[in-house]
């Protein structure tokens, strides 16, 4: 089987396009009491800075 060769130089966004992507990023919180988050809080303690979400 022939290995896949990735060409990392084509179609790369420029710095301005990357900045726009982060500025225009839209997402929805799916579940504020996401079960995994509660499990981590219960077993590890501390603050949790992520939740269940989806990107548009």
């Amino acid at each position: 089987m022939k290995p896949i060769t990735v060409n990392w130089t084509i179609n790369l966004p420029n710095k301005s396009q990357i900045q726009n992507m982060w500025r225009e990023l839209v997402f929805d919180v799916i579940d504020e009491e996401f079960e995994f988050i509660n499990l981590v809080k219960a077993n590890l303690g501390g603050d949790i800075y992520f939740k269940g979400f989806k990107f548009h």
Side-chain angles (χ1 to χ4, degrees):
M1 182 174 0
K2 184 177 176 182
I4 297 173
T5 304
V6 178
N7 182 347
W8 294 102
T9 62
I10 60 172
N11 297 326
L12 294 178
N14 61 37
K15 185 176 180 178
S16 174
Q17 291 171 319
I18 293 169
Q19 290 171 337
N20 285 338
M21 178 202 68
W22 285 111
R23 245 190 320 274
E24 298 170 2
L25 186 65
V26 178
F27 65 93
D28 294 324
V29 175
I30 295 172
D31 184 359
E32 295 196 15
E33 293 300 320
F34 191 52
E35 185 175 338
F36 175 73
I37 302 301
N38 293 330
L39 182 65
V40 171
K41 282 183 184 178
N43 291 295
L44 300 178
D47 294 326
I48 305 295
Y49 295 103
F50 60 93
K51 295 180 182 275
F53 58 91
K54 68 177 180 177
F55 292 101
H56 288 253

Coordinates of all heavy atoms in Angstrom, one line a residue:
M1 N 0.8 -1.2 0.0 CA 0.0 0.0 0.0 C 0.9 1.2 0.0 O 1.9 1.3 0.7 CB -0.9 0.0 1.2 CG -1.8 1.2 1.2 SD -3.1 1.5 2.3 CE -3.4 0.4 3.5
K2 N 0.5 2.2 -0.8 CA 1.3 3.4 -0.9 C 1.0 4.4 0.2 O -0.2 4.6 0.4 CB 1.0 4.1 -2.3 CG 1.8 5.3 -2.6 CD 1.5 5.8 -4.0 CE 2.3 7.1 -4.2 NZ 2.0 7.7 -5.5
P3 N 2.0 5.0 0.9 CA 1.6 5.9 2.0 C 1.1 7.2 1.4 O 1.4 7.6 0.3 CB 3.0 6.2 2.6 CG 4.0 5.8 1.6 CD 3.4 4.8 0.7
I4 N 0.3 7.9 2.2 CA -0.3 9.2 1.8 C 0.7 10.3 2.1 O 1.3 10.3 3.1 CB -1.6 9.4 2.7 CG1 -2.6 8.4 2.4 CG2 -2.1 10.9 2.4 CD1 -3.9 8.5 3.3
T5 N 0.9 11.1 1.1 CA 1.8 12.2 1.2 C 1.0 13.5 1.3 O 0.1 13.8 0.5 CB 2.7 12.3 0.0 OG1 3.4 11.1 -0.2 CG2 3.7 13.5 0.1
V6 N 1.2 14.3 2.4 CA 0.4 15.5 2.6 C 1.2 16.7 2.1 O 2.4 16.8 2.5 CB 0.1 15.7 4.1 CG1 -0.7 17.0 4.3 CG2 -0.7 14.5 4.6
N7 N 0.6 17.5 1.3 CA 1.2 18.8 0.9 C 0.7 19.9 1.7 O -0.4 20.4 1.5 CB 0.9 19.0 -0.6 CG 1.6 20.3 -1.1 OD1 2.1 21.1 -0.4 ND2 1.6 20.4 -2.4
W8 N 1.5 20.3 2.7 CA 1.1 21.3 3.7 C 1.2 22.7 3.1 O 0.9 23.7 3.9 CB 1.9 21.2 5.0 CG 1.7 19.9 5.7 CD1 2.5 18.8 5.7 CD2 0.5 19.6 6.5 NE1 1.9 17.8 6.4 CE2 0.7 18.3 7.0 CE3 -0.6 20.3 6.9 CZ2 -0.2 17.6 7.8 CZ3 -1.5 19.6 7.7 CH2 -1.3 18.3 8.1
T9 N 1.6 22.9 1.9 CA 1.8 24.3 1.4 C 0.7 24.8 0.5 O 0.6 26.0 0.2 CB 3.1 24.3 0.6 OG1 3.0 23.4 -0.6 CG2 4.3 24.0 1.4
I10 N -0.3 23.9 0.2 CA -1.4 24.4 -0.7 C -2.6 24.8 0.1 O -2.9 24.2 1.2 CB -1.7 23.3 -1.7 CG1 -2.2 22.0 -1.1 CG2 -0.6 23.1 -2.7 CD1 -2.8 21.0 -2.1
N11 N -3.3 25.8 -0.3 CA -4.5 26.2 0.3 C -4.4 26.6 1.8 O -5.4 26.3 2.5 CB -5.6 25.2 0.1 CG -5.9 25.0 -1.4 OD1 -5.9 26.0 -2.2 ND2 -6.3 23.8 -1.8
L12 N -3.3 27.0 2.2 CA -3.2 27.4 3.6 C -3.8 28.8 3.8 O -3.5 29.7 3.0 CB -1.7 27.4 4.1 CG -1.1 26.1 4.1 CD1 0.4 26.2 4.6 CD2 -1.8 25.1 5.1
P13 N -4.5 29.1 4.9 CA -5.1 30.4 5.1 C -4.0 31.4 5.6 O -3.0 30.9 6.2 CB -6.1 30.2 6.3 CG -5.6 29.0 6.9 CD -5.0 28.1 5.9
N14 N -4.1 32.6 5.2 CA -3.1 33.6 5.6 C -3.5 34.1 7.1 O -4.5 33.7 7.6 CB -3.0 34.8 4.7 CG -4.3 35.5 4.5 OD1 -5.0 35.7 5.4 ND2 -4.5 36.0 3.3
K15 N -2.6 34.9 7.6 CA -2.8 35.3 9.0 C -4.2 36.1 9.2 O -4.9 35.9 10.2 CB -1.7 36.2 9.5 CG -1.7 36.6 10.9 CD -0.5 37.5 11.3 CE -0.6 37.9 12.8 NZ 0.6 38.6 13.2
S16 N -4.5 36.9 8.3 CA -5.8 37.7 8.3 C -7.0 36.7 8.3 O -8.0 36.9 9.1 CB -5.9 38.6 7.2 OG -7.1 39.3 7.1
Q17 N -7.0 35.7 7.5 CA -8.0 34.7 7.4 C -8.2 34.0 8.7 O -9.3 33.7 9.1 CB -7.8 33.8 6.2 CG -8.0 34.5 4.9 CD -7.5 33.6 3.7 OE1 -6.5 32.9 3.8 NE2 -8.3 33.6 2.6
I18 N -7.1 33.6 9.3 CA -7.1 32.9 10.6 C -7.7 33.8 11.7 O -8.6 33.3 12.4 CB -5.7 32.4 11.0 CG1 -5.2 31.3 10.0 CG2 -5.7 31.9 12.4 CD1 -3.8 31.0 10.1
Q19 N -7.3 35.0 11.7 CA -7.9 36.0 12.7 C -9.4 36.1 12.5 O -10.1 36.2 13.5 CB -7.1 37.3 12.6 CG -5.7 37.2 13.2 CD -4.9 38.5 12.9 OE1 -5.2 39.2 12.0 NE2 -3.9 38.7 13.7
N20 N -9.8 36.3 11.3 CA -11.2 36.4 11.0 C -12.0 35.2 11.4 O -13.1 35.3 11.9 CB -11.5 36.7 9.5 CG -11.1 38.1 9.1 OD1 -11.1 39.0 9.9 ND2 -10.9 38.3 7.8
M21 N -11.4 34.0 11.2 CA -12.1 32.7 11.6 C -12.4 32.7 13.1 O -13.5 32.4 13.5 CB -11.2 31.5 11.2 CG -11.9 30.2 11.7 SD -10.7 28.8 11.9 CE -9.8 29.4 13.3
W22 N -11.4 33.1 13.9 CA -11.6 33.1 15.4 C -12.5 34.2 15.8 O -13.3 34.0 16.7 CB -10.2 33.3 16.1 CG -9.4 32.0 16.0 CD1 -8.3 31.8 15.3 CD2 -9.7 30.8 16.7 NE1 -7.9 30.5 15.5 CE2 -8.7 29.9 16.3 CE3 -10.8 30.4 17.5 CZ2 -8.7 28.6 16.8 CZ3 -10.8 29.1 18.0 CH2 -9.8 28.2 17.6
R23 N -12.6 35.3 15.1 CA -13.5 36.4 15.5 C -14.9 36.0 15.1 O -15.9 36.4 15.8 CB -13.1 37.7 14.7 CG -12.6 38.8 15.5 CD -12.5 40.1 14.8 NE -12.0 40.1 13.4 CZ -10.7 40.1 13.1 NH1 -9.8 40.2 14.1 NH2 -10.3 40.1 11.9
E24 N -15.1 35.3 14.1 CA -16.4 35.0 13.6 C -16.9 33.6 14.0 O -18.0 33.2 13.7 CB -16.5 35.0 12.0 CG -16.1 36.4 11.5 CD -15.9 36.4 10.0 OE1 -16.0 35.4 9.4 OE2 -15.6 37.5 9.5
L25 N -16.1 33.0 14.9 CA -16.5 31.6 15.3 C -17.8 31.6 16.1 O -18.0 32.4 17.0 CB -15.4 31.1 16.3 CG -15.5 29.7 16.7 CD1 -15.4 28.7 15.6 CD2 -14.4 29.4 17.8
V26 N -18.7 30.7 15.7 CA -20.0 30.6 16.3 C -20.2 29.2 16.8 O -20.0 28.2 16.1 CB -21.2 31.0 15.3 CG1 -22.5 30.8 15.9 CG2 -21.0 32.4 14.8
F27 N -20.7 29.1 18.1 CA -20.9 27.7 18.6 C -22.1 27.8 19.6 O -22.4 28.9 20.1 CB -19.7 27.2 19.3 CG -19.3 28.0 20.5 CD1 -19.7 27.6 21.8 CD2 -18.4 29.1 20.4 CE1 -19.3 28.3 22.9 CE2 -18.0 29.8 21.5 CZ -18.5 29.4 22.8
D28 N -22.7 26.7 19.8 CA -23.8 26.5 20.8 C -23.4 25.6 21.9 O -22.7 24.6 21.6 CB -25.0 26.0 20.1 CG -25.6 26.9 19.0 OD1 -25.6 28.1 19.3 OD2 -26.1 26.4 18.0
V29 N -23.8 25.9 23.1 CA -23.6 24.9 24.2 C -24.7 23.9 24.1 O -25.8 24.2 24.0 CB -23.6 25.7 25.6 CG1 -23.6 24.7 26.7 CG2 -22.5 26.7 25.7
I30 N -24.3 22.6 24.0 CA -25.2 21.6 23.8 C -25.9 21.2 25.2 O -27.1 21.1 25.3 CB -24.6 20.3 23.3 CG1 -24.1 20.6 21.8 CG2 -25.5 19.1 23.3 CD1 -23.2 19.5 21.3
D31 N -25.1 21.1 26.2 CA -25.6 20.6 27.5 C -24.7 21.2 28.6 O -23.5 20.9 28.7 CB -25.5 19.1 27.5 CG -26.1 18.6 28.8 OD1 -26.5 19.3 29.7 OD2 -26.1 17.3 29.0
E32 N -25.3 22.2 29.3 CA -24.5 22.8 30.4 C -24.1 21.9 31.5 O -23.2 22.1 32.3 CB -25.2 24.0 30.9 CG -25.4 25.1 29.8 CD -25.8 26.4 30.4 OE1 -25.6 26.6 31.6 OE2 -26.2 27.3 29.6
E33 N -24.8 20.8 31.6 CA -24.5 19.8 32.6 C -24.0 18.5 32.0 O -24.5 17.4 32.3 CB -25.7 19.5 33.5 CG -26.1 20.7 34.4 CD -24.9 21.1 35.3 OE1 -24.2 20.2 35.9 OE2 -24.7 22.3 35.5
F34 N -23.1 18.6 31.0 CA -22.6 17.5 30.3 C -22.0 16.5 31.2 O -21.3 16.8 32.2 CB -21.5 18.1 29.4 CG -20.9 17.2 28.3 CD1 -21.8 16.5 27.5 CD2 -19.6 17.0 28.2 CE1 -21.3 15.7 26.5 CE2 -19.1 16.1 27.2 CZ -19.9 15.5 26.4
E35 N -22.4 15.2 31.1 CA -22.1 14.2 32.1 C -20.6 14.0 32.3 O -20.2 13.9 33.5 CB -22.7 12.9 31.6 CG -22.6 11.8 32.6 CD -23.2 10.5 32.1 OE1 -24.1 10.5 31.3 OE2 -22.8 9.4 32.7
F36 N -19.8 14.1 31.3 CA -18.4 14.0 31.5 C -17.8 15.1 32.4 O -16.9 14.8 33.2 CB -17.6 14.0 30.1 CG -16.1 14.0 30.2 CD1 -15.5 12.8 30.6 CD2 -15.4 15.1 30.0 CE1 -14.1 12.8 30.7 CE2 -14.0 15.1 30.1 CZ -13.4 13.9 30.4
I37 N -18.3 16.3 32.2 CA -17.8 17.4 33.1 C -18.1 17.1 34.5 O -17.3 17.3 35.4 CB -18.5 18.7 32.6 CG1 -18.2 19.0 31.2 CG2 -18.1 19.9 33.5 CD1 -16.8 19.2 30.8
N38 N -19.3 16.7 34.8 CA -19.7 16.4 36.2 C -18.8 15.2 36.8 O -18.4 15.3 37.9 CB -21.2 16.0 36.3 CG -22.1 17.2 36.0 OD1 -21.7 18.3 36.2 ND2 -23.2 16.9 35.4
L39 N -18.5 14.3 35.9 CA -17.7 13.1 36.4 C -16.3 13.7 36.7 O -15.7 13.3 37.7 CB -17.6 12.1 35.2 CG -16.8 10.8 35.5 CD1 -17.4 10.0 36.6 CD2 -16.7 10.0 34.2
V40 N -15.7 14.5 35.9 CA -14.4 15.1 36.1 C -14.4 15.9 37.4 O -13.5 15.8 38.3 CB -13.9 15.9 34.9 CG1 -12.6 16.7 35.3 CG2 -13.6 15.0 33.7
K41 N -15.4 16.8 37.6 CA -15.5 17.6 38.8 C -15.6 16.8 40.0 O -14.9 17.1 41.0 CB -16.8 18.5 38.7 CG -16.6 19.7 37.8 CD -17.9 20.5 37.9 CE -18.0 21.7 37.0 NZ -19.2 22.4 37.1
A42 N -16.4 15.7 40.0 CA -16.5 14.9 41.1 C -15.3 14.1 41.5 O -15.0 13.9 42.7 CB -17.7 13.9 40.9
N43 N -14.5 13.7 40.5 CA -13.3 12.9 40.8 C -12.0 13.7 40.9 O -11.0 13.2 41.5 CB -13.2 11.8 39.7 CG -14.3 10.8 39.9 OD1 -14.4 10.1 40.9 ND2 -15.2 10.7 39.0
L44 N -11.9 14.8 40.2 CA -10.6 15.5 40.2 C -10.7 16.9 40.9 O -9.7 17.4 41.3 CB -10.2 15.8 38.8 CG -9.9 14.5 37.9 CD1 -9.5 14.9 36.5 CD2 -8.8 13.7 38.6
G45 N -11.9 17.4 41.0 CA -12.1 18.7 41.6 C -11.6 19.8 40.7 O -11.1 19.6 39.6
G46 N -11.6 21.1 41.3 CA -11.1 22.2 40.5 C -12.1 22.7 39.5 O -13.2 22.3 39.5
D47 N -11.6 23.7 38.8 CA -12.5 24.4 37.8 C -12.4 23.7 36.4 O -11.4 23.2 36.0 CB -12.1 25.8 37.6 CG -12.3 26.7 38.8 OD1 -13.3 26.4 39.6 OD2 -11.5 27.6 39.1
I48 N -13.5 23.6 35.8 CA -13.6 23.0 34.5 C -14.0 24.1 33.5 O -14.9 24.9 33.7 CB -14.7 21.9 34.4 CG1 -14.5 20.9 35.5 CG2 -14.8 21.3 33.0 CD1 -13.2 20.1 35.3
Y49 N -13.2 24.3 32.4 CA -13.4 25.4 31.5 C -13.9 24.9 30.1 O -13.7 25.6 29.1 CB -12.1 26.1 31.3 CG -11.6 26.8 32.6 CD1 -10.6 26.2 33.3 CD2 -12.2 27.9 33.0 CE1 -10.2 26.8 34.5 CE2 -11.8 28.5 34.2 CZ -10.8 28.0 34.9 OH -10.4 28.6 36.1
F50 N -14.5 23.8 30.0 CA -15.1 23.4 28.8 C -16.4 22.7 29.0 O -16.7 22.2 30.1 CB -14.2 22.5 27.9 CG -13.8 21.2 28.6 CD1 -14.5 20.0 28.5 CD2 -12.7 21.2 29.5 CE1 -14.1 18.9 29.1 CE2 -12.3 20.0 30.1 CZ -13.0 18.9 29.9
K51 N -17.3 22.6 28.0 CA -18.6 22.0 28.1 C -18.9 21.3 26.8 O -18.1 21.3 25.9 CB -19.7 23.1 28.4 CG -19.5 23.8 29.7 CD -20.6 24.8 29.9 CE -20.5 25.6 31.1 NZ -21.1 24.9 32.3
G52 N -20.0 20.7 26.7 CA -20.4 20.1 25.5 C -20.9 21.2 24.5 O -21.7 22.0 24.9
F53 N -20.3 21.3 23.3 CA -20.7 22.3 22.4 C -20.6 21.8 21.0 O -20.0 20.8 20.7 CB -19.8 23.6 22.6 CG -18.4 23.3 22.5 CD1 -17.8 23.4 21.2 CD2 -17.6 22.9 23.5 CE1 -16.4 23.2 21.1 CE2 -16.3 22.7 23.4 CZ -15.7 22.8 22.2
K54 N -21.2 22.6 20.0 CA -21.0 22.2 18.6 C -20.8 23.5 17.9 O -21.2 24.6 18.2 CB -22.3 21.6 18.1 CG -23.5 22.5 18.0 CD -24.7 21.7 17.4 CE -25.9 22.6 17.4 NZ -27.0 22.0 16.7
F55 N -20.0 23.4 16.8 CA -19.7 24.5 15.9 C -20.7 24.6 14.8 O -21.2 23.6 14.3 CB -18.3 24.4 15.3 CG -17.2 24.5 16.4 CD1 -16.6 23.4 16.9 CD2 -16.8 25.8 16.8 CE1 -15.6 23.5 17.8 CE2 -15.8 25.9 17.8 CZ -15.2 24.8 18.3
H56 N -20.9 25.8 14.3 CA -21.8 26.0 13.1 C -21.0 25.8 11.9 O -19.8 26.0 11.9 CB -22.4 27.5 13.2 CG -23.4 27.6 14.2 ND1 -24.7 27.7 13.9 CD2 -23.3 27.7 15.6 CE1 -25.4 27.9 15.1 NE2 -24.6 27.9 16.1

